[in-house]
Structures are given as C-alpha cells and as structure tokens.
Amino acid sequence: MVDSGTKLKIRRLLKTIICLFSLTFVVLFTVAFVRTLTLDVDVGLQHAQWEKTKNISLDIGREQREELLDNFKESIRIPTVSFAESNYNTTALLEFNRFLRKAFPTVYSSSLVHHEVVANYSHLFWVEGSQPDLLPYLLLAHVDVVPASESDAWDLPPFSAKEMDGFIYGRGTLDDKSSLMGILQALEYLLRKGYAPRRGFYIGLGHDEEVSGKNGALNIVNVMKQRGVQLSFVLDEGMLITENLSSFLGGSTAFIGISEKGSATIKLSVSTPPGHSSMPPKETCIGILAAAVKRIEDNPMPRLFGYGPERLSFEHMAHKFSFPVKFMMSNLWLFSPLIGRVLERQPISNSLVRTTTAVTMFNSGVKFNIIPSLAEAFVNLRIHSAQSLEEALDHIRSRVADERVKMELIDGFDPLPVSSTDEKSFGFQIIKKTVLEVFPSVTVAPGICVGNTDSRHFKDFTKDIFRFIPAWLKSGDYLRFHGINERISKKNYEEFVVFYSSLIQNCDIQKLPEPHGSVHEL
Ligand SMILES: *[C@@H]1O[C@H](CO)[C@@H](O)[C@H](O)[C@H]1NC(C)=O
Ligand SMILES: *[C@@H]1O[C@H](CO)[C@@H](O)[C@H](O)[C@H]1NC(C)=O
Ligand SMILES: *[C@@H]1O[C@H](CO)[C@@H](O)[C@H](O)[C@H]1NC(C)=O
Ligand SMILES: *[C@@H]1O[C@H](CO)[C@@H](O)[C@H](O)[C@H]1NC(C)=O
Ligand SMILES: [Zn+2]
C-alpha cells in the first residue's frame, strides 16, 4: 500500500519532470527558431566591396564558338583510355600531347607560360604572375577516361563526339575533358587578348586519374615539391551543379566539394582442408565466409549524419526551403538523427550518412564435387568524414568475429581533410563568386565527394582543396559518369570556357574584401 502522502510526492515529482522536459523543449525550440531566422551563411561576401580585376570579358562569337567546339570534339575523339593501373593507351596519350600543342598555340608559345611533360603523358603548366607575392593556385584536370565499348548501347558512338539535340556525346565529355579543355581554352583566349595574370597559377593534367593517379598526379606532386611550391588552393573535378535536386527544392545548387570520403579495400579469406564432396565436413570455407559477409551486410556502420561537413551543406541550402524543412535543416544539431533516418533509405543519400560497405567480389571453388580449400571475398568501404580508416576496420573486425576468417587491408586511406568555407577562405569565396557571376540563379553550397579524385595527392600543398566543375546535371544524369551516353550540351561547354576565364581573372585580387555588415552568430 502506498499512502496518500507518498502518492502526492510522486505526483509532484512527475510534474517537475514534465515541467523540466517542456522547459527544455521550449528552450531548444526557441534557439532553433532564432537560428533559422538568423543563420544566413549565404550572405557572406556577396555584398562586400570586391576589387575589380575582370578586365577581359569573353564575347564568344560564331567563329570562336566553332573553334572551341571543334577543339573539344577533337579531344573526345582521342581514346585516352586507362584500362588498369599502369595500363593505358599510350598511343592515344602521345597523340593527345601533340593535339594540345596544336589546339592551343598561344598557350604553348607565350613567354608567360612554362610547360613541361611529366612522366611522358601528364602535363604541368606554370603561368607566371606579375606579382610574385601573391600565393599561386592550381587548376587540376585529367587526360584519361574510363573504357567505353562501341558495342555498348550508346545512342552515338563513344569516341565519335557526334551531336544530338544540342549535346555532344562521348567518353570524357563530363569526366573530365570538359574541364581540361575549358581551362586551356580560357587561357588561350585570355592570352590572345593580352592578358597577363597578377597571381601566378599552375595547371596540372594527370594521365591516370581513373586508375589511382600514382603515375600522373603523384609525379606532378614530386616535381612541385622539388620546387618548394606552396598553394593558396586547388580546384579539381568532383562535384557539379544539380538541377531540381529534390521535389521540394526547386532551382539548382552548385556543390563545391570540400572533402572526400576515405576508402578501403579489405580481403577476407578462409582456408579449410580440401576434401571430396561425398564426405563433407560440417562447415566449408564457403559457408564460413558467407556467414561473415552476411553479418557485415546485416550490421551497417553507425549513422553519422550531422557529425561531418555535410552539416555545412544543409546550412547553406536551408534558406531555399520553406518551413518546416528550413527549420530542420538550419538545426541539424537537433534534427540530424531524424534527417539521417530519412536519408539512409535511398542508396545515394545513404552514402552521405555513413561509411558504406559493399561486398564486391566472392570467389571459391573449382569443381562441383570438390570441397574447396580457399574462399575469398573483397569488401569496399567508403569512409564517412567523421570516422577514421582504423575505426572502420575495427567495425568490420567486430562484425566478422570469427578467427577462421583472415582479414587483410589491400589499400586504404582516411577521409580527406575538410577545406575551409568561411569568409577568409580565398579559394572557396573566389569559386563561389565566379559561380554566381556565370550562373546567377544557383545556390552555392559545400558538399562531400563520395568518390576520389587526383586532388587528394596534393594535400601537402594546401589545406584548401575544392572539387567542382561547372557542369549541369539533372537527376538520373549521374549514371552517365563512367556509364553509357556520357554527354554535355554545347551551351554548357561554352559556359566552362567562360567560367574558367572569369575564375582566373577573379583570382587576381590582392586579398578578399572585408565581410559586409554584421555577421550573425549564435
Ligand atoms: C584592369 O584595368 C585597370 C585599368 O586599365 C588596371 O588599372 C588594372 O591593373 C587592370 N587589372 C588587371 C588585373 O589587369
Ligand atoms: C589506342 O589509341 C589509338 C589512337 O590514338 C587507337 O587507334 C587504338 O585503337 C587505341 N587502342 C585501344 C586498345 O583502344
Ligand atoms: C617514358 O617513356 C620512356 C621511353 O618510352 C620509358 O623508358 C619510361 O619508362 C617512361 N616513363 C614513364 C614514367 O612512364
Ligand atoms: C526544374 O523545376 C522547374 C520549376 O519547377 C522546371 O521549370 C524545370 O523544367 C525543372 N528542370 C528539370 C531539369 O527538371
Ligand atoms: Zn574524373
């Protein structure tokens, strides 16, 4: 029996607890609400007073348009394919070297430009600035493409650069000859118009990005290290402009990649004594390994949404949304578990939420009546920014939890550092300003690359590495990367040339302007 006095006490206690809960809720809600109203990371330097350095505007006329498209198509027709590490079409790569010289005569003859071939097929250009005190930057792109077969179901042959409905089709039109050719074409036109940069810059073109960059990008890195180069920032491929990202986000967002997920390839193997299938043991190596693989698939890595730089993406985009989505996106500190649960339902957005694990190979057995002695599986991880390679491996180890399964790390690296995006970040602010000049209607937001690029080899030169090309992508278009019907619209390629021409001139400012007005802080 509980007497009435005790009952009263319990009731009072419950009331207090409920009160505390509601109070906490009200406080959290108020903070979140105020944050939603004041968090406007998109204002930044947009209204600040920028030094004017863009003296040359490209007015692309009919003749120039024809020239730049012809050059671009010719670059697509040279099949600079990487088949595997240290296995590429060297005939095509050598042809590409000659082609660049022919397509960009002013770049190759200007006294401001120093060109060198690195590791036979890669290129490093140094464009001298008139003010050596301004820290140079690096534009990166790659010469090689992934294979494409004439027998695949392309609407137009993959190395033909043929046109349909205003699009040029071909392997490399998005990845990454649009960027490579756009950079050099912009420089060619600027130099023809008498441009001389104040801020010097490098252009690096690797020849084996698709198969690790170990021969191309890494040798460019070595050359630059020998010269003691320091960089203000690096701009490489990686992310782009997405149109109508989701049903409730109209308009387009230019994602500037500020980090890359880490990666690991793990080999799992089980050895058991071989034998005849007429007298099988209780467990075979196949069964043991299959069970381990199943445990890995059944236990995904922890949800980490909100703990990495993806939080910045959402905060930059929040103002585009209406309540209540805006409210939630401005307050990931409160809502990330909920949003994370929604995102993990789709494979694309799940890749933002956690370290993904993909079992990609499973091999065992040679004959139907022989018990095999070895079973092997490969697991490919893409590591979330808030986790380390070591932590991801520990997770896999704890899921396998069977000492008969041997685990071997074939290759792996931590997630890449997160580049700066604040008002003092020269690279981010210049790229953002240039995007908004060329594409006034888009929103600019930081993003995380789920794939890897050559730029990761350059992390000793600067902490500020950005991954962006000015290509427009509609939902579903991402399948064209490394897939069939890779294409770019003629108009979009022209925008590449304009974009890089503006970017190069925008980099000529002495320093970033002071932020305009007060900055909201909470
Ligand atoms: C742009 O032109 C102005 C005026 O002619 C000149 O003072 C300035 O130095 C130029 N800027 C660059 C970056 O060339
Ligand atoms: C390599 O490229 C050349 C053109 O430079 C082409 O003729 C040849 O077919 C290509 N080889 C392969 C294996 O793709
Ligand atoms: C460059 O080409 C030369 C001659 O064909 C060859 O001996 C050398 O190994 C090549 N170097 C690289 C880095 O591929
Ligand atoms: C994006 O949305 C706008 C407005 O709803 C629409 O006019 C446009 O056609 C859409 N673009 C694409 C690529 O779906
Ligand atoms: Zn690429």
Side-chain angles (χ1 to χ4, degrees), residues 35 305-306 308-316 329 332-333:
R35 205 176 141 81
F305 180 72
E310 66 272 6
R311 182 173 170 157
L312 287 169
S313 309
F314 279 71
E315 289 178 356
H316 273 75
M329 287 180 61
L332 286 193
W333 59 279

Side-chain angles (χ1 to χ4, degrees), residues 52-53 55 195-196 198 508:
K52 187 184 171 302
T53 54
N55 286 352
Y195 171 72
R198 286 180 184 167
D508 280 330

Side-chain angles (χ1 to χ4, degrees), residues 62-79:
R62 202 173 56 84
E63 238 171 73
Q64 233 173 10
R65 180 166 298 123
E66 237 166 66
E67 182 193 24
L68 66 87
L69 289 175
D70 281 350
N71 277 342
F72 180 60
K73 288 179 185 172
E74 198 170 342
S75 78
I76 300 297
R77 289 190 197 110
I78 306 175

Side-chain angles (χ1 to χ4, degrees), residues 243-244 249-251 474-475:
E243 274 189 84
N244 296 359
L249 178 65
K474 294 181 185 140
S475 82

